[in-house]
Amino acid sequence: MEMQTEVHGDVAVVNVSGRLDITTAPLLETALKPIIEGETRALVVCLRGVDYVSSAGLRVLVSCARALKHDSRPLFVTAVQPYVHEVFEVAGLLEVFNLARDNDEALQALTAN
Amino acid sequence: MNLRLRTRLALTVGAAIVITFALLGYLITFERNTRMRSVVKQIALKVLQMRADDLSAHLQRTQEACRRLAAQAQRSDQRLEPPGSTHPLTLDASAAGMRYADTLGGWISWTSPAQDRLHVCETPPMEQVPWTTNGRGPRDPQPAWLAPHIDEKASGTPVITCVTPVIKNGRVTAFVGIDDNAATLLPSMRSLIRLGVSEVALIDKDGTCLIIPTEAAGRARVTHNIDDVGREHHDIISAETPIEGTPFKVRAWASIASLESDEHSFLLQQTAIGAIAVAILLALTLIITRTLTQPLASLERAADRVRRGQFNARVTVQESRGELTELGEAFNTLMTELDTRYQALQVAAVERERAEREITLASEAQSSMLPRLDMVPPGIEASAQSISARQVGGDLYDLFALPGNRVAFALGDTCGKGMGAALLMVQTVTALRSIAQLYERPSQCIAHLNHLATAMAYSVPLTTLFYGIVHLDDGRLVYCNAGHPAPIIDGEIVRTPAQPSLGAVDDALYRDDEISLRPGSTVVLVSDGITEAPGQESRFVGLDGVLREVRDAGAGISARDLVERLLALSQTGDADFEEDDATVAVVRYRGPSTVLRVAPRVDAVEPVLARIDGCDLPPADRLRLRLAVEELLVNVIEHGRSATSIEVTVVNRFDGVGVRLEDNGIRFDPTRQVKAAAVNPRAGDEALETPIGGKGLTLARHSVDDLCYVRWQGLNRLDMFKSRSAGDS
């Protein structure tokens, strides 16, 4: 799994690629931790390069969403691939995340706010 | 009673008829007698009247004699001598020329031949006439009178004196009297006794009454009150007759009571006879009835006891030889026989029950020796079933895993059936399992078993045995067939040169045969209970018939269904055909499988998933299978559950990929957790708060086509299967 973090103003964008499973989920968690603890207004996680998410990956995303929601900071998940979308759906998590087609859509939504 | 039944009945009826007639006769006689008594009473009255008339006539005759005597005396001038005079006067009373002594004023007595006495007394001095002693004088001498009295001198003899005055020259010069001894009347009275006439009375006009008893011992008496007479009797009948020319009348009477006492005794007698007759009838009826009913009642009681299961019931048989006695004896004989047989039957039933229990136990023991096919590694789909002709059978099949990712399976048939064959079958199975791990090749095992069989001291029936080992990693089947019908593999009979059955040839050398199984290849083995069952057209089903059935069933049929179908071949329903033990085993090679044993740690997940990634599946299917394996594996690892080892078997089947996860942790069935989550789905913010762990199981269930859990010998076993999607490759 690979991760690349960008900062657009006060919004952090994390581009993830590879498989988000029991082995790699802790890496994502580690990467997201400073962002959550930092002053970032919002977080965008791009899953364009992710073709596989297991419950371990879901757990990281959900705990991240929970932490941000505590500070009323939005979390956007963008470019969710079909199979990952299906996993979200099966897990009943589609309502939990703000989903966007791509990062630009997410950033526009954030700017609009 | 030593009588036949018919005789007894006849006697009873006869006695009843006789006694009925006797009673009828009695009643008729009684009525007739009553009428007779009344007639007799009337006759008695008539006779009494006649007797009274007789007496009256007698006295009239005496009176007449007296009168004639007086007339003679009147005509003669003879003096009448007084009684006790020295001139006895002979007077011939019967002769007309009777003479009197010319003596007046005294009595002349004369004793006639009839013992009558003649008194003659002269008129003056009339006062001296001694016969006035009774206080009655000839106050009214006209024309004559009678004086009854008792002559005390003659021992109280009753006397009736007839007196007639002798009149001369217009005056009474004398009286002539005749003492008529009333006792002389008695002989004529005797007949009255029988009629109950006890007394006869001579009654004066003024009521003076001379009562003369009819009985010889009776004393006559004089009474003045006629009303006293017969008062001692309740009822009397009497007859009265006046004596012509005198103021007297004669009365005779009889007591009806005496007549009726006779009648009463007669009545009593008749009643007694009747009562005795009735009593005899009742007694006779009772006795005869009891001789009939008692044995029947006894039989009924005995039959009732038999009905309640008391087979020792007997009836008491009497000494006589009637039909009832014969019936009773027949009953007793029957019951003795029944009792004996019943007891034998009970003993036999107990024996039989014990034997059946033992057989049942043996059957259960034998069944427990057959393999649970849950044990089958996932690279194999196997099913087998055996139908014993009896409760225990001589057919055997076995399937067990061997080290080195191998599976061994065997199917054998011991000659014969029943307990003997079963014991040998058990021995063979036990021996096979014991030595299977000692040898690399099936032929070595077979040779060992043959050695065991031929080394036995006693004659042993032959056992045919097919023993094969499937190498699960590459699908090689190595087998040794000791005299068993050839296997059917992938719809073909695979014949190899025959080899001897176990126990046939000492130190026989056995050969292995080998064939490569493709994923999905099916090996079918049957025992001769199938092949030798009567077929539709040919004589037996034969191996060809089995082959036909296998081909008809097609490749898609499950092993279990194929077994059922082939077993049905032996179920002919033909009662004449003695079924043999029938066994079918189907072993299907699913595809090459690999086994990975890992420790329950997170870092162990990666190599397992790498193995999944290497599966021959379309990418989308592979990802889904990967997700399921990861979730389930993580579930085992993260929740601990005391597992120390996890074994993962991956089978590359022709139709997909199967994965088996086995761990030795405490019991946990993830499939049930998934169901629970499905019942109570959450959404939105609530879902955010839900622990993600449960989601993993949901995801796993969602990702595979088949997921099932079995707790088996201390292991949690999860089998999942992901089929290859159509159109992909």
Side-chain angles (χ1 to χ4, degrees):
Chain A
M1 190 196 72
E2 290 176 6
M3 285 175 292
Q4 186 192 349
T5 307
E6 301 168 6
V7 177
H8 295 262
D10 53 356
V11 177
V13 177
V14 181
N15 294 305
V16 188
S17 64
R19 290 171 176 169
L20 198 50
D21 60 12
I22 186 73
T23 315
T24 57
L27 302 177
L28 179 63
E29 192 171 21
T30 309
L32 290 181
K33 193 175 178 183
I35 300 171
I36 294 167
E37 289 173 350
E39 296 299 315
T40 319
R41 184 172 67 88
L43 175 62
V44 175
V45 177
C46 178
L47 299 182
R48 183 176 302 280
V50 175
D51 59 353
Y52 176 92
V53 174
S54 73
S55 64
L58 292 178
R59 188 187 299 124
V60 173
L61 291 175
V62 167
S63 59
C64 174
R66 199 180 292 159
L68 292 172
K69 187 180 173 69
H70 187 69
D71 301 331
S72 301
R73 291 184 290 176
L75 167 65
F76 274 80
V77 179
T78 64
V80 179
Q81 300 302 301
Y83 177 55
V84 175
H85 191 274
E86 180 188 323
V87 171
F88 280 13
E89 190 179 356
V90 170
L93 295 175
L94 287 178
E95 309 286 323
V96 173
F97 308 118
N98 299 307
L99 297 183
R101 228 182 4 257
D102 51 27
N103 289 352
D104 290 345
E105 187 182 312
L107 289 172
Q108 278 175 11
L110 284 171
T111 311
N113 279 351
Chain B
M1 289 179 83
N2 192 8
L3 293 172
R4 306 289 291 181
L5 191 59
R6 201 175 302 160
T7 319
R8 289 187 209 183
L9 282 170
L11 269 180
T12 312
V13 173
I17 290 171
V18 165
I19 287 167
T20 308
F21 272 102
L23 272 176
L24 272 176
Y26 160 73
L27 288 174
I28 291 167
T29 312
F30 180 79
E31 200 267 343
R32 189 174 294 165
N33 276 326
T34 310
R35 282 207 336 256
M36 282 293 287
R37 297 304 291 179
S38 128
V39 170
V40 164
K41 209 187 283 183
Q42 286 171 15
I43 291 171
L45 206 57
K46 283 271 170 17
V47 171
L48 205 58
Q49 185 73 50
M50 282 163 63
R51 289 291 169 254
D53 288 350
D54 284 352
L55 191 59
S56 169
H58 178 79
L59 287 174
Q60 275 186 26
R61 279 196 301 276
T62 308
Q63 178 85 3
E64 184 58 33
C66 191
R67 201 170 288 155
R68 281 206 316 272
L69 201 58
Q72 283 183 353
Q74 205 172 329
R75 281 191 301 271
S76 76
D77 287 332
Q78 279 182 305
R79 208 173 155 228
L80 297 175
E81 286 187 11
S85 86
T86 52
H87 316 91
L89 179 67
T90 303
L91 202 86
D92 185 358
S94 61
M98 182 175 113
R99 297 186 304 271
Y100 291 94
D102 187 15
T103 306
L104 292 173
W107 285 99
I108 295 170
S109 68
W110 170 76
T111 302
S112 68
Q115 299 297 311
D116 294 342
R117 284 183 299 173
L118 175 66
H119 306 275
V120 178
C121 81
E122 290 183 72
T123 33
M126 194 172 283
E127 312 74 46
Q128 295 168 10
V129 175
W131 45 266
T132 56
T133 50
N134 60 356
R136 302 175 58 181
R139 288 184 293 272
D140 185 12
Q142 291 296 333
W145 46 270
L146 293 170
H149 60 98
I150 307 296
D151 184 355
E152 297 299 336
K153 281 183 270 181
S155 354
T157 312
V159 177
I160 302 168
T161 305
C162 293
V163 180
T164 301
V166 179
I167 301 165
K168 282 187 177 175
N169 302 323
R171 70 176 186 98
V172 175
T173 57
F175 293 95
V176 175
I178 297 174
D179 277 351
D180 192 353
N181 190 345
T184 59
L185 296 171
L186 287 177
S188 70
M189 292 179 185
R190 292 285 180 247
S191 63
L192 296 175
I193 295 174
R194 279 197 300 253
L195 296 172
V197 176
S198 51
E199 288 171 325
V200 177
L202 190 62
I203 306 164
D204 199 353
K205 63 178 178 188
D206 59 358
T208 305
C209 188
L210 175 67
I211 299 168
I212 305 160
T214 53
E215 294 168 22
R219 281 179 68 88
R221 65 188 192 278
V222 173
T223 180
H224 298 289
N225 192 352
I226 187 69
D227 295 333
D228 289 344
V229 176
R231 181 165 287 180
E232 65 268 23
H233 303 297
H234 295 296
D235 190 12
I236 56 173
I237 54 171
S238 60
E240 230 174 45
T241 302
I243 302 172
E244 293 295 327
T246 70
F248 288 91
K249 56 187 177 185
V250 172
R251 175 188 284 184
W253 63 88
S255 166
I256 285 180
S258 67
L259 279 176
E260 294 200 333
S261 73
D262 277 0
E263 204 161 293
H264 280 151
S265 69
F266 174 75
L267 265 176
L268 276 174
Q269 188 187 351
Q270 296 282 308
T271 309
I273 290 170
I276 289 169
V278 168
I280 289 173
L281 174 65
L282 283 178
L284 206 60
T285 309
L286 202 64
I287 289 168
I288 293 177
T289 310
R290 277 179 70 84
T291 63
L292 288 176
T293 56
Q294 218 164 18
L296 287 177
S298 170
L299 264 176
E300 189 190 355
R301 281 194 300 273
D304 193 48
R305 287 179 61 196
V306 173
R307 187 178 58 77
R308 282 176 284 151
Q310 298 174 8
F311 287 91
N312 57 350
R314 299 286 184 281
V315 293
T316 311
V317 178
Q318 289 161 355
E319 289 301 315
S320 59
R321 304 292 310 167
E323 290 97 326
L324 289 176
T325 308
E326 285 163 17
L327 180 60
E329 281 169 354
F331 179 83
N332 282 348
T333 311
L334 174 69
M335 286 319 300
T336 306
E337 187 71 15
L338 259 182
D339 201 9
T340 310
R341 293 200 183 175
Y342 179 69
Q343 288 185 1
L345 210 61
Q346 276 186 322
V347 170
V350 169
E351 285 294 326
R352 187 184 167 84
E353 196 181 337
R354 188 161 56 209
E356 278 178 356
R357 202 163 51 236
E358 282 177 6
I359 295 274
T360 305
L361 286 175
S363 176
E364 287 171 5
Q366 194 181 26
S367 298
S368 71
M369 299 194 67
L370 296 174
R372 282 279 306 271
L373 295 176
D374 312 19
M375 290 285 287
V376 179
I380 286 289
E381 178 193 3
S383 183
Q385 208 174 331
S386 184
I387 296 177
S388 299
R390 297 177 193 167
Q391 276 188 301
V392 290
D395 279 3
L396 68 92
Y397 66 85
D398 204 356
L399 189 144
F400 46 89
L402 285 175
N405 201 18
R406 295 177 303 160
V407 166
F409 66 97
L411 195 147
D413 180 7
T414 304
C415 277
K417 44 189 177 285
M419 193 57 90
L423 288 173
L424 196 63
M425 167 257 170
V426 166
Q427 186 198 18
T428 309
V429 168
T430 311
L432 178 61
R433 285 197 189 170
S434 307
I435 64 173
Q437 299 206 9
L438 299 180
Y439 301 104
E440 178 67 23
R441 306 180 65 80
S443 59
Q444 293 169 310
C445 272
I446 293 285
H448 191 146
L449 292 174
N450 182 53
H451 179 71
L452 287 176
T454 54
M456 288 196 176
Y458 53 87
S459 171
V460 173
L462 302 180
T463 301
T464 65
L465 184 66
F466 178 100
Y467 177 51
I469 295 174
V470 181
H471 295 256
L472 296 175
D473 45 6
D474 57 7
R476 265 185 311 131
L477 168 63
V478 181
Y479 65 93
C480 178
N481 190 350
H484 201 78
I488 296 171
I489 301 174
D490 289 336
E492 297 293 342
I493 299 172
V494 180
R495 296 189 192 278
T496 50
Q499 302 188 87
S501 302
L502 298 182
V505 180
D506 285 355
D507 298 327
L509 290 174
Y510 287 93
R511 177 195 75 249
D512 281 314
D513 293 299
E514 188 173 324
I515 190 168
S516 276
L517 301 177
R518 300 190 311 274
S521 285
T522 304
V523 180
V524 175
L525 288 169
V526 297
S527 72
D528 58 10
I530 305 285
T531 56
E532 290 174 11
Q536 297 289 329
E537 293 152 14
S538 58
R539 191 176 169 196
F540 294 124
V541 170
L543 206 51
D544 291 337
V546 177
L547 179 65
R548 216 166 18 248
E549 193 72 18
V550 169
R551 284 178 176 171
D552 286 351
I557 191 169
S558 74
R560 177 188 294 266
D561 291 345
L562 185 56
V563 166
E564 295 280 346
R565 202 162 158 170
L566 295 179
L567 266 186
L569 290 175
S570 72
Q571 304 301 303
T572 58
D574 186 352
D576 295 334
F577 177 70
E578 193 188 2
E579 290 175 359
D580 196 357
D581 301 330
T583 306
V584 176
V586 171
V587 176
R588 180 171 286 153
Y589 175 65
R590 281 173 163 155
S593 61
T594 53
V595 180
L596 209 61
R597 189 169 281 109
V598 297
R601 293 199 306 271
V602 173
D603 57 10
V605 177
E606 187 57 38
V608 174
L609 295 183
R611 189 68 60 89
I612 301 297
D613 290 339
C615 282
D616 177 23
L617 273 181
D621 293 336
R622 199 161 55 221
L623 280 180
R624 285 181 167 81
L625 178 63
R626 188 184 200 277
L627 182 62
V629 171
E630 183 193 331
E631 297 297 349
L632 293 168
L633 203 54
V634 166
N635 185 274
V636 172
I637 293 166
E638 290 198 336
H639 292 82
R641 290 194 280 273
S642 313
T644 56
S645 167
I646 304 172
E647 192 177 276
V648 184
T649 310
V650 181
V651 187
N652 284 295
R653 295 162 56 163
F654 70 98
D655 55 349
V657 175
V659 178
R660 169 174 292 182
L661 299 181
E662 268 182 342
D663 71 83
N664 58 356
I666 59 171
R667 175 190 294 270
F668 179 75
D669 180 1
T671 60
R672 296 179 65 177
Q673 304 297 316
V674 171
K675 283 176 196 155
V679 165
N680 193 11
R682 298 159 194 226
D685 289 350
E686 201 183 345
L688 191 62
E689 304 302 324
T690 309
I692 208 73
K695 310 270 188 209
L697 299 179
T698 309
L699 288 173
R701 179 67 196 90
H702 176 79
S703 303
V704 291
D705 298 302
D706 195 18
L707 176 66
C708 66
Y709 170 85
V710 174
R711 180 76 182 179
W712 174 251
Q713 293 191 337
L715 299 175
N716 292 308
R717 174 185 290 180
L718 269 171
D719 276 318
M720 66 202 87
F721 174 66
K722 182 66 194 169
S723 66
R724 182 176 285 115
S725 298
D728 292 330
S729 68

